[in-house]
Amino acid sequence: MWLLSQIGPLHYAKQRNHLERDVTMKGLYFQQSSTDEEITFVFQEKEDLPVTEDNFVKLQVKACALSQINTKLLAEMKMKKDLFPVGREIAGIVLDVGSKVSFFQPDDEVVGILPLDSEDPGLCEVVRVHEHYLVHKPEKVTWTEAAGSIWDGVRAYTALHYLSHLSPGKSVLIMDGASAFGTIAIQLAHHRGAKVISTACSLEDKQCLERFRPPIARVIDVSNGKVHVAESCLEETGGLGVDIVLDAGVRLYSKDDEPAVKLQLLPHKHDIITLLGVGGHWVTTEENLQLDPPDSHCLFLKGATLAFLNDEVWNLSNVQQGKYL
């Protein structure tokens, strides 16, 4: 993930006056080829229009995070455009608000995620966005920290709070804990008083996780492919299994059928089912997960639940959700 450089606060008033006088500005967009195999990035001029929608907010972008563009999802949503805006995780200062905006006022510092069907790119000086896609930025959080953590922060909170109902005393297995998503999930789990177990995909990741405070109950190094995740989790929980699993993808087939090095480090779906405790929650990011009848029966006997963590659940506009559903 890359971040735009933030603008110094001493230049804010001068830049704001400059923006208010400008009629046009440049934004970054991407364009797909007819075969959808090649992506071209282009700067496109756009008008600096006033806020005309009642519930929209106009804000000056101070920092924008660049995440991977999900072209597959765009195709599934049947979103046909010549140019797609680039950059969706933004932090900035409110310049103007619509007549029915109730949560914000000019000069508020905010952070948010632009919806998938946004017309404005985050990589632009000024954007317009519905107020429901923004929240107030904490005063002590920098622009770059806010823009860089909002996406994975929402994902981690969704997984732990909405999908698995985390509560104090629960045990949580967080796969690939040194990732951006993993580090935020670990901190949120610790904040709720949970016991955290995590996996590390390299020696550097293992050392990073071992420095966490409060400490992680067990760091499982899977980099050499010799450690059995299910056995380690059952040992750590006294054979009861973990209450919550947040995976980072799973293997659906045997290692012989999935030769990619990255897939070799992922646990098999049977391992996840084995280490899951009675009444446990499995939150998966594997969109193509396939469970055979014996797998489903095992989950049934444990009274366990399976939930899919879709990155875009909270970010699609109501119009696009209606089209898709």
Side-chain angles (χ1 to χ4, degrees):
M1 182 179 290
W2 299 269
L3 293 171
L4 252 70
S5 299
Q6 64 181 59
I7 303 170
L10 295 178
H11 301 288
Y12 165 61
K14 180 179 179 181
Q15 175 141 353
R16 177 170 179 170
N17 293 333
H18 171 70
L19 290 172
E20 291 173 346
R21 290 195 303 269
D22 281 350
V23 178
T24 62
M25 63 189 71
K26 289 185 177 181
L28 185 63
Y29 296 79
F30 79 90
Q31 186 174 26
Q32 280 187 283
S33 65
S34 57
T35 59
D36 293 339
E37 295 179 355
E38 183 178 348
I39 293 180
T40 304
F41 292 91
V42 296
F43 280 102
Q44 185 83 0
E45 287 193 350
K46 60 186 292 291
E47 292 186 50
D48 182 14
L49 299 175
V51 176
T52 55
E53 297 88 346
D54 291 338
N55 295 102
F56 272 61
V57 172
K58 178 180 177 181
L59 62 93
Q60 176 192 355
V61 178
K62 303 287 282 184
C64 176
L66 292 181
S67 294
Q68 185 175 359
I69 299 170
N70 193 338
T71 55
K72 180 182 177 182
L73 180 61
L74 292 175
E76 290 178 352
M77 295 291 298
K78 297 180 172 59
M79 298 180 65
K80 300 296 183 181
K81 294 182 181 180
D82 293 332
L83 297 171
F84 289 91
V86 175
R88 295 172 55 199
E89 304 99 285
I90 58 172
I93 298 176
V94 174
L95 298 176
D96 193 12
V97 298
S99 60
K100 294 185 179 180
V101 171
S102 57
F103 295 110
F104 307 102
Q105 57 187 6
D107 296 327
D108 281 352
E109 298 183 353
V110 298
V111 58
I113 304 174
L114 298 179
L116 196 63
D117 60 345
S118 172
E119 297 293 334
D120 295 338
L123 288 174
C124 188
E125 294 176 79
V126 173
V127 300
R128 291 162 300 154
V129 59
H130 195 287
E131 65 172 329
H132 290 167
Y133 294 107
L134 301 171
V135 295
H136 288 278
K137 181 183 75 67
E139 183 179 352
K140 294 183 179 180
V141 177
T142 67
W143 297 114
T144 52
E145 289 171 344
S149 61
I150 184 68
W151 184 279
D152 286 304
V154 170
R155 291 181 68 220
Y157 188 81
T158 299
L160 293 173
H161 180 75
Y162 291 104
L163 299 182
S164 57
H165 311 291
L166 178 66
S167 58
K170 296 289 186 180
S171 57
V172 185
L173 170 62
I174 299 175
M175 309 297 295
D176 194 12
S179 65
F181 169 75
T183 54
I184 294 177
I186 290 172
Q187 293 175 73
L188 288 176
H190 277 154
H191 180 69
R192 292 299 302 272
K195 175 182 180 179
V196 177
I197 304 170
S198 186
T199 62
C201 298
S202 67
L203 177 60
E204 291 78 10
D205 289 353
K206 182 174 183 290
Q207 293 172 342
C208 172
L209 293 174
E210 289 175 341
R211 290 195 294 267
F212 264 76
R213 294 295 180 271
I216 297 172
R218 176 175 291 203
V219 177
I220 306 171
D221 186 358
V222 298
S223 60
N224 56 17
K226 297 180 181 179
V227 177
H228 201 283
V229 176
E231 290 181 0
S232 298
C233 289
L234 291 173
E235 180 182 333
E236 184 63 34
T237 58
L240 297 177
V242 299
D243 299 305
I244 298 170
V245 177
L246 305 187
D247 72 34
V250 295
R251 284 190 294 111
L252 304 179
Y253 312 105
S254 65
K255 290 186 177 182
D256 295 335
D257 297 327
E258 293 178 322
V261 175
K262 185 175 181 180
L263 290 177
Q264 301 285 354
L265 301 179
L266 295 177
H268 194 278
K269 60 182 179 180
H270 295 153
D271 295 333
I272 300 294
I273 295 173
T274 299
L275 63 84
L276 197 62
V278 173
H281 302 278
W282 176 12
V283 180
T284 183
T285 58
E286 180 53 64
E287 61 181 81
N288 297 314
L289 180 67
Q290 300 176 30
L291 295 180
D292 300 320
D295 300 329
S296 298
H297 185 64
C298 186
L299 290 173
F300 169 78
L301 292 177
K302 291 187 175 187
T305 62
L306 172 64
F308 290 87
L309 180 59
N310 177 4
D311 295 353
E312 298 291 349
V313 163
W314 305 115
N315 304 325
L316 299 176
S317 72
N318 292 331
V319 174
Q320 290 298 332
Q321 285 191 52
K323 288 181 181 179
Y324 194 52
L325 300 177

